[in-house]
């Protein structure tokens, strides 16, 4: 475990602190006393934040100003801070001890900055690959996410920093998150999407929780009585603070009555001016107000924030200990998905490495989690550092810019543009004019006099002459729908409501030939973007491919994927890599067969068209400040990879629920796949994924043998022997999946219910036991509003991925 100390005794100690005491705890009494001394005005102002990241101070009552900071991949709000790898990378470690170290480390980063409330962990699930925030979360499995959430919360709160589990609930995509409704049946919510929240609240006892921006079944989370009062308070007994996401509140009365305690970043609806008349008329009561204030006060006293400064100046802000944890997460969470034998690189033979691509110094994704570190390691620096003096590294960004396509103006006499009211290009155009090209970002502004800024459509017609022979890449970027015909053939049809997305396609053109063009576009609300154009494939690669160096290199590393700008909170991302990156991979492989592709994303990407020819492929998620050192260690075999994928990669998105589930239609995102989310869907529909949930390669090989099930008081325990059958030391993650052979309700074939990392020397064997708690297999019976333990035969599978399950055995639940 690379010199890390074992913290299991501490885990047990923390587990023992699990329950609220039967007699009112000290902080309950303290809160009650302070509440009794507060005026109604003080209480009314207390339930709205101030200065974006604070709960206000009340010096008269000894209440300090409470400082918050965003997460989940750093304590990012107050200047530079240690930047950890993505949540998906942390989850891919399947290492509870390391997850706990992450929690301790984060808490110390928070204490170094005087932060009381850390706005994390994020436990929404990677239902669809396109969600722009997948990287902040922990993948697609509720069990794994729940285990990690509990561990992180306990470790952070142990050091008297409150966590804020977010975003409650079903906030599983980003475009139009402020208006879309997640339409999910109750059983699916309870068994899949609410599970990590339930664990975070009941087991982790998170001090705070944050509601999502979205609606659940038609009602905004911030005022959703079922979510906040019934599930959270009544069913789970939550006593902590429920805060709004920033600007996610929508009404005064509903927010107040249905369970919001704290409106952030400040009061817009729960203001004293708006609440006072409701109090006076009796529509709301002071007792209800007291409940909210009481919860905030209890949080303050629970963590002793009135008794000592929260800032601990003895902890360095740029803490080397945090850096070690960040590095270790990347070592264990980076996933090797394909290796035709090119890896590991042999330092005695590999002397020249070329690094290409835009991802050389990508650290994290974008939005409120983006953490700016004090220092970071790029891929070429990591390789230099680990490769040593014998290895020369050259870096070429070769970043093709698809946006250059939109500068295309080569139309014969321009284009005829007709602007219509409404989305359907109907009636007489409101305006007709000649335009030189299509390159518009109107925002909400009218595209021309007499045309509305929203809810309009446009048709461009004309022709262009091909400037040269060869392959041209066509690009269209639109918010919302666009469809295109060339010479009467429909070549693109993206006629849907969506945020700005770039679609590309390729055509071979003949120099001088005239091609007819028709482009139709509509704007259905929000921003308006319409762009179209083309450019020769070679131009897209910037003509800067270092051909000679690539041919002469002993290995090539191509870094592709997304970054802070292209995968971010507030927007979803395309499933495919940008065209220019696919071309970059294809060209690099043509020039050098020892090419390794390293991808940055929070979930699956389209691997069609390049993966089959790629000798090695690594999913690096987002690596954090030191993750590229870990990457280099993996490339050279100093670290044997052990990360396991936490989101399924399909062969083709077509026909999977990922495709039909997105984008939302008419403001609704319907969870039609129900319980069969992620790998459950692939199992049920017998679709083979490209890379299965739980998969990941090592430089050695393992064998599982002999499965024994023994009965425990609350379930069973699976015992197996694992052997390292290769010649290198390595670590494997044994995964336990379980499912009923027959059930009276629809169920997944099997679900992850346990796991264990095992480190083994070459030839070494270890016997490992993994418990399976029977209640983990209970189903939610909506009519009776109860969890039900079903009788019947349960099969337990053990293996090294959701699709590589060497052993299984059945037991009977009586
Ligand atoms: C995000 C939250 C974040 C908050 C404060 C919101 O936009 O959704 O996750 O904690 O901003 O920065």
């Amino acid at each position: 475990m690379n010199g890390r100390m074992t913290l299991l005794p501490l885990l047990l100690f923390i587990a023992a602190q699990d329950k609220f005491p039967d007699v009112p705890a000290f902080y309950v009494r303290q809160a009650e006393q302070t509440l009794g001394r507060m005026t109604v005005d003080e209480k009314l102002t207390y339930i709205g934040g101030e200065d974006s990241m604070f709960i206000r101070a009340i010096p008269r009552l000894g209440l300090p100003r409470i400082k918050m900071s965003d997460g989940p991949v750093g304590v990012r709000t107050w200047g530079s801070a240690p930047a950890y790898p993505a949540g998906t990378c942390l989850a891919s470690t399947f290492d509870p001890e390391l997850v706990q170290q992450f929690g301790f480390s984060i808490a110390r980063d928070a204490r170094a900055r005087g932060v009381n409330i850390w706005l994390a962990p994020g436990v929404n699930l990677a239902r669809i690959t396109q969600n722009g925030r997948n990287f902040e979360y922990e993948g697609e499995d509720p069990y794994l996410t729940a285990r990690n959430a509990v561990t992180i919360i306990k470790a952070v709160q142990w050091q008297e920093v409150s966590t804020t589990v977010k975003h409650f609930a079903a906030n599983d995509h980003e475009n139009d998150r402020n208006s879309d409704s997640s339409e999910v049946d109750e059983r699916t919510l309870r068994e899949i999407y609410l599970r990590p929240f339930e664990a975070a609240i009941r087991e982790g006892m998170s001090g705070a929780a944050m509601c999502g921006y979205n609606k659940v079944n038609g009602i905004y989370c911030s005022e959703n009585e079922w979510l906040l009062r019934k599930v959270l308070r009544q069913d789970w007994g939550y006593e902590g603070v429920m805060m709004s996401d920033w600007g996610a509140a929508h009404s005064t009365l509903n927010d107040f009555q249905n369970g919001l305690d704290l409106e952030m970043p400040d009061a817009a609806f729960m203001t004293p001016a708006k609440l006072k008349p409701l109090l006076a008329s009796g529509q709301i009561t002071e007792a209800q107000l007291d409940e909210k204030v009481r919860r905030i006060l209890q949080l303050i006293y629970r963590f002793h924030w009135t008794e000592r400064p929260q800032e601990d100046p003895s902890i360095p802000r740029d803490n080397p200990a945090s850096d070690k944890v960040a590095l270790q997460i990347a070592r264990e969470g980076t996933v090797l998905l394909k290796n035709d034998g090119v890896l590991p690189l042999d330092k005695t033979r590999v002397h020249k490495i070329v690094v290409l691509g835009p991802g050389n110094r990508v650290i994290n994704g974008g939005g409120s989690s983006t953490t700016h570190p004090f220092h970071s390691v790029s891929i070429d620096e990591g390789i230099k550092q680990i490769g040593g003096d014998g290895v020369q590294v050259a870096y070429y960004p070769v970043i093709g810019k698809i946006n250059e396509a939109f500068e295309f103006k080569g139309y014969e006499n321009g284009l005829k543009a007709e602007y219509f009211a409404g989305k359907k290009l109907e009636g007489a155009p409101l305006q007709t004019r000649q335009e030189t090209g299509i390159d518009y970002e109107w925002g909400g502004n009218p595209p021309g006099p007499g045309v509305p800024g929203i809810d309009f459509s446009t048709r461009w017609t004309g022709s262009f002459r091909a400037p040269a022979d060869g392959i041209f890449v066509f690009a269209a970027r639109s918010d919302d729908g666009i469809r295109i015909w060339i010479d009467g053939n429909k070549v693109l049809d993206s006629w849907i409501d969506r945020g700005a997305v770039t679609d590309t396609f390729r055509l071979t053109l003949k120099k001088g030939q005239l091609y007819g063009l028709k482009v139709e576009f509509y704007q259905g609300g929000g921003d308006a973007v319409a762009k179209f154009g083309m450019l020769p494939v070679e131009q897209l690669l910037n003509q800067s491919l270092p051909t000679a160096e690539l041919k002469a290199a002993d290995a090539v590393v191509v870094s592709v994927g997304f970054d802070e700008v292209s995968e971010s909170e507030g927007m979803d991302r395309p499933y495919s890599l940008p065209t220019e990156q696919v071309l970059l991979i294809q060209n690099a492989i043509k020039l050098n067969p020892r090419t390794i592709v390293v991808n940055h994303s929070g979930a699956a990407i389209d691997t069609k068209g390049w993966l089959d020819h790629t000798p090695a492929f690594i999913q690096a998620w987002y690596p954090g400040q030191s993750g590229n050192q870990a990457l280099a260690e993996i490339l050279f075999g100093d670290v044997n990879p052990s990360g396991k994928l936490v989101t399924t990669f399909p062969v083709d998105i077509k026909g999977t629920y990922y495709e039909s589930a997105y984008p939302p239609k008419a403001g609704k995102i319907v969870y039609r796949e129900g319980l069969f989310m992620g790998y459950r869907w692939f199992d049920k529909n017998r679709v083979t994924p490209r890379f299965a949930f739980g998969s990941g390669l090592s430089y050695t090989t393992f064998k599982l043998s002999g499965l024994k099930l023994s009965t425990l008081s609350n379930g069973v325990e699976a015992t197996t022997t694992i052997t390292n059958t290769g010649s290198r030391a390595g670590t494997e993650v044994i995964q336990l999946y379980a499912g009923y052979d027959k059930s009276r309700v629809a169920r997944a074939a099997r679900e992850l219910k346990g796991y264990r990392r095992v480190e083994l020397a070459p030839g070494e064997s270890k016997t490992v036991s993994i418990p399976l708690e029977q209640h983990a297999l209970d189903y939610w019976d909506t009519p009776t509003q109860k969890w039900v333990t079903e009788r019947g035969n349960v099969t337990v599978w053990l293996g090294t991925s959701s699709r590589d399950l060497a052993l299984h055995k059945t037991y009977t639940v009586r």
Side-chain angles (χ1 to χ4, degrees), residues 122-168:
V123 301
N124 299 91
L125 298 176
R127 170 182 179 245
I128 48 166
T129 62
Q130 300 93 327
N131 178 18
R133 284 185 103 165
N134 278 334
F135 71 91
E136 292 186 45
Y137 308 138
E138 309 256 335
E140 69 187 25
D141 188 71
Y143 176 81
L144 180 64
T145 303
R147 291 339 306 148
N148 287 344
V150 170
T151 306
I152 293 169
I153 290 166
K154 284 184 178 169
V156 171
Q157 295 195 158
W158 188 66
Q159 291 168 79
E160 302 190 331
V161 174
S162 174
T163 53
T164 311
V165 61
K166 69 187 186 184
H167 307 87
F168 191 61

Side-chain angles (χ1 to χ4, degrees), residues 575-617:
Y575 170 61
S576 301
L577 293 175
T579 307
E580 59 271 27
Q581 295 189 10
V582 175
L583 290 169
L584 182 63
I585 298 173
Q586 288 167 340
N587 284 298
I589 291 170
K590 258 185 235 151
L591 293 166
N592 193 312
R594 293 168 305 279
T595 292
I596 301 136
V597 174
V598 175
N599 177 55
H600 299 130
S601 66
I605 52 158
D606 192 356
T607 55
K608 270 202 330 284
W610 56 268
L611 184 72
D612 288 346
H613 317 287
T614 303
F617 176 44

Side-chain angles (χ1 to χ4, degrees), residues 52-53 70-71 76-77 119 133 136 166-167 171 174 177 210 213 245-246 368 569:
S52 180
M53 279 282 161
D70 257 310
R76 61 87 63 185
T77 303
L119 302 172
R133 284 185 103 165
E136 292 186 45
K166 69 187 186 184
H167 307 87
N171 185 177
E174 286 295 295
R177 62 180 178 176
M210 186 192 293
Y213 282 114
D245 200 340
W246 272 227
S368 64
E569 175 186 343

